[in-house]
Each structure stands twice: as C-alpha cells, then as structure tokens.
Amino acid sequence: MDALSRATDEQVRAVCAAFDAVEWPLGRDGYAALAEELGWQPKLETSSGVQHRSSYPVSLPTVRSLVADEAISQVTIAVSDKSDDSAALSQAAISLRDAVQSQLGAPSGQQQGDPYWELGNGGRVWLKSVPKKVLLVVEEQRFADVERAEERLGIDPSRNPGTADDNR
C-alpha cells in the first residue's frame, strides 16, 4: 500500500475555518471571495453551480459547488488522490478526519461510516469516502436543516426519492 497524496492538514483546517465563519445564505460574490481566499481558481460558472480548481496536491483537484436561489448550497472538494487501493483510501480518510477534527472538534455523528460535524452557523461538514477518493463536503444551513429533519423522522439516507427505492 502506497500513501495517497491528499490535501494537507493546513488546507483542510483552512476550509473548515472558512466555512465555519460564513453567514448563510452565502451568495455568489461572497463565495467567490472565499474561494479566492482559499486559493481556488475559477474554472466554470453556470446557473446551477460553480467549479474551481484547488491547489491541493491531489490527482483531480476539483471543487464543485451547487447553487440554489442564487446562494451556494453545497460544496464538494476532492481532498485525496483517486485510487483503486481501498487500504490507502482508508488511511487517507483517517488522516483527513484527524485534520478536520483538529479544527472542528469531535464529529457530531456519522452516517454509513462517514463522519460529519455541525457548524456553529447551522451548516454541516462531511468527510465522505466514496469509491476511489475522499471528499470534503460542506452543506449550507438550509441543506443541512433538511438532512437533520430527515434524520429526526428516521428517513433512510440511502433512499432514492421518486423511485421504487423510495419505500424504505
């Protein structure tokens, strides 16, 4: 198992601190300033999202953001190399979790093995291990409020609304 390249602890802490300090809703202009502060380079902007390229030492340094009602609703940041080596991905996830925890404290909970942290401003930060890489996902307050409501109601987070799987 070779160690995967990943975002540095300092880079991860900077992202967590930046999003913990924002005021929701975060409009496009405020997000552009935050992205510049984090060293992300603009790549593409559409009505439904914004893409940046981070300076993180990973194979695909992408930052994808969803926009709803002209405000950022979710930001997904690639924080590890892409790899088929599940052991190396697991080790990267542990190191990245430690980096997030050093900024935000102990995780507030987890779903399907992925830890999340509640932010003081109502947002939520996830560390998600997906096939082939690790992502840091930031959710704005409204998005996080929907997830919290679903959790209180016991709605299965893996359901697919509007499909046959919606009956779980």
Side-chain angles (χ1 to χ4, degrees):
M1 170 185 86
D2 293 324
L4 293 179
S5 291
R6 65 172 188 84
T8 66
D9 290 357
E10 293 78 21
Q11 290 166 328
V12 170
R13 285 193 295 265
V15 169
C16 293
F19 282 100
D20 195 25
V22 302
E23 193 171 310
W24 305 112
L26 180 61
R28 287 177 183 262
D29 291 342
Y31 180 62
L34 183 139
E36 185 175 337
E37 177 184 311
L38 291 170
W40 300 345
Q41 300 300 311
K43 191 173 169 187
L44 176 67
E45 186 165 348
T46 68
S47 62
S48 63
V50 182
Q51 291 184 23
H52 288 85
R53 184 175 181 85
S54 76
S55 60
Y56 306 157
V58 300
S59 53
L60 297 169
T62 56
V63 179
R64 292 190 171 91
S65 309
L66 298 176
V67 174
D69 299 325
E70 288 306 307
I72 300 301
S73 60
Q74 184 180 53
V75 180
T76 302
I77 307 149
V79 290
S80 80
D81 273 346
K82 189 174 180 181
S83 175
D84 290 322
D85 185 340
S86 61
L89 283 167
S90 179
Q91 184 57 46
I94 291 167
S95 297
L96 288 159
R97 177 186 172 131
D98 291 346
V100 175
Q101 192 163 316
S102 72
Q103 181 67 38
L104 299 177
S108 303
Q110 71 174 16
Q111 283 183 9
Q112 300 171 334
D114 293 328
Y116 65 85
W117 292 259
E118 300 291 357
L119 300 178
N121 58 14
R124 186 181 266 189
V125 172
W126 286 89
L127 189 65
K128 295 201 176 235
S129 295
V130 298
K132 301 187 183 261
K133 62 183 162 182
V134 182
L135 304 170
L136 193 62
V137 180
V138 180
E139 297 172 346
E140 59 93 21
Q141 184 176 3
R142 291 179 304 167
F143 199 104
D145 284 347
V146 169
E147 280 194 347
R148 287 188 279 268
E150 289 177 348
E151 290 162 8
R152 278 191 305 275
L153 295 170
I155 297 172
D156 185 341
S158 64
R159 82 185 196 308
N160 294 314
T163 68
D165 290 343
D166 196 21
N167 295 325
R168 291 186 198 182

